[in-house]
Structures are given as C-alpha cells and as structure tokens.
Amino acid sequence: MAVELLDAAHELELDLLQHQLVRAIQQTMSQASAMFWAEKLAERKHHQIRGSWMDIVDHHVVHFLTRSLPDQLQVFRQPHQQQQQQQQQQQMPSAKDNEVVFKFGSYSTIVQSQTGIRPGMIELAHVYAGLPLQYMKQCLEYNDLTDMVQRYHLALQVIHCREQMGKSELMVVLRFQGKEEGSEISILKKQALRADHWKP
C-alpha cells in the first residue's frame, strides 16, 4: 500500500504528501521494514521503474542497515575499545590458536576468529545474507561501516550464511592498494576471478 501511495503522490506531483510518506518510512524504519524496502527497491530497479522518492528511501534503508542496525546489535567495537585493542596489540606480537593475523607492511593486527566473533555480528550477517545482492554488496563495501578488519570478518560470515542458504556464487576479495590508497573489500562472483575476467 505504501508503494502505491508513493507512486500516486509522485504521479500527481503531491510533493508534500510524498515528503510526509517518506518521513514516516524513515521514522518507523526497522529490520523488517528495511528488508521490505530493500526488496521492493531492488525489484523496481531491476525493472527500471523510477520514482523521485526511491533515491531518498534507498538512502534511509542503507543508513539503517549500515549505521542504526549495527548500533542496535552492538556489533562493532566503540572507538575507545578500538584504542584499547590497539594498545594490547602492541604488546601481543603473536596470535593464539583462535586468532587470525592480518599484516599490512610493518603493521600487524590480531583479531578473533570464528570462536571470538560477537553474537551481534552473527545476527547482522544473517540480515545481510538475506538482502538482495546489490544491497548486500553496498553494505559490506561501505567504508564507513566499520574498520576494514571487522568488515572483512563480517563479509566472511555473510558469505558463509549465504552458502548455508544454497547460494555459493560469491566470495570476498581483500585488495591491498598501497599505503596512500589503503585497502578495500569487494564482493565478487566467483567466475569473475577467472583469468579472463580478473581486473585488479
């Protein structure tokens, strides 16, 4: 019903009504409604159906999925916790059996592997795994979601969840681009990594 109202407001150029509807969507955004709108928007984009309200709702959906929901689930470390972890890392040059070491030049960071992942991250991974592909990629590749190492762990969890759903066409690629450019995470289809498709 909300989609039909938004389309009608757009067609009849009822800007005030459209603004009020979009604001209501933003204020009542939840995990369930974000999933609903992600699916609706992805379907409309696939069929090249446009509306002036779509970009605004799209922004609210992505903001909820990458900022509000992770905060609600307490998925990622807060800045003061990250600083404490960095201080601990300087005193811990080697990793334990349940930890993974990522090396960036002369800098190493130690993060917990599967056994140390927060419950909130598992829940967020299940949410992302159920999103339309374009929204899943957009969320995981969003640089401001969290730091690169935590985002990489989340991406691995999402891919694992999708594999349990019978969707094993994707993989996570961690690209190192040098000191100035930093690193980035990309979600790619496995066939894109063949020699004739790979573009580093």
Side-chain angles (χ1 to χ4, degrees):
M1 184 66 177
V3 177
E4 288 78 3
L5 284 173
L6 285 165
D7 282 338
H10 172 72
E11 290 295 330
L12 298 173
E13 298 182 354
L14 301 175
D15 295 339
L16 179 59
L17 176 59
Q18 180 174 288
H19 173 77
Q20 291 174 335
L21 290 170
V22 170
R23 185 169 180 79
I25 292 170
Q26 178 190 10
Q27 293 178 337
T28 59
M29 188 70 68
S30 64
Q31 180 176 323
S33 63
M35 296 290 288
F36 169 83
W37 285 110
E39 292 175 1
K40 287 295 182 182
L41 290 170
E43 180 181 353
R44 290 171 70 91
K45 290 176 183 179
H46 177 73
H47 293 290
Q48 298 183 342
I49 301 174
R50 303 301 302 171
S52 58
W53 58 269
M54 289 176 57
D55 290 339
I56 305 174
V57 175
D58 176 272
H59 170 78
H60 293 322
V61 168
V62 173
H63 183 273
F64 178 84
L65 291 170
T66 58
R67 303 298 293 272
S68 302
L69 184 58
D71 286 347
Q72 290 176 14
L73 299 176
Q74 298 182 336
V75 177
F76 305 118
R77 297 183 298 273
Q78 299 301 315
H80 71 278
Q81 293 175 310
Q82 293 178 349
Q83 184 176 6
Q84 291 176 355
Q85 188 193 37
Q86 290 175 355
Q87 293 174 349
Q88 293 173 355
Q89 289 169 2
Q90 294 175 357
Q91 302 172 359
M92 298 173 59
S94 60
K96 299 177 181 179
D97 291 340
N98 67 333
E99 294 175 334
V100 178
V101 178
F102 290 85
K103 293 184 179 292
F104 309 94
S106 59
Y107 174 77
S108 298
T109 180
I110 300 175
V111 294
Q112 293 292 327
S113 62
Q114 178 89 7
T115 56
I117 292 176
R118 294 177 173 223
M121 183 176 286
I122 301 296
E123 186 172 350
L124 185 64
H126 280 285
V127 174
Y128 282 8
L131 288 170
L133 181 57
Q134 65 188 81
Y135 280 95
M136 185 208 74
K137 283 173 56 65
Q138 190 171 352
C139 290
L140 291 176
E141 295 175 357
Y142 182 57
N143 289 331
D144 291 337
L145 176 63
T146 183
D147 65 76
M148 190 272 296
V149 173
Q150 291 190 90
R151 195 152 49 93
Y152 180 73
H153 269 286
L154 174 61
L156 291 177
Q157 287 298 313
V158 172
I159 298 302
H160 176 68
C161 291
R162 285 179 60 87
E163 288 175 347
Q164 291 181 323
M165 298 162 58
K167 302 176 181 179
S168 57
E169 78 283 15
L170 302 176
M171 67 182 302
V172 186
V173 175
L174 184 59
R175 297 180 178 180
F176 300 93
Q177 304 181 83
K179 287 186 177 180
E180 295 184 359
E181 293 82 3
S183 305
E184 67 176 21
I185 290 172
S186 298
I187 309 300
L188 302 176
K189 292 188 176 181
K190 291 180 178 178
Q191 59 263 36
L193 293 180
R194 296 174 182 170
D196 56 339
H197 291 103
W198 172 243
K199 296 180 180 180

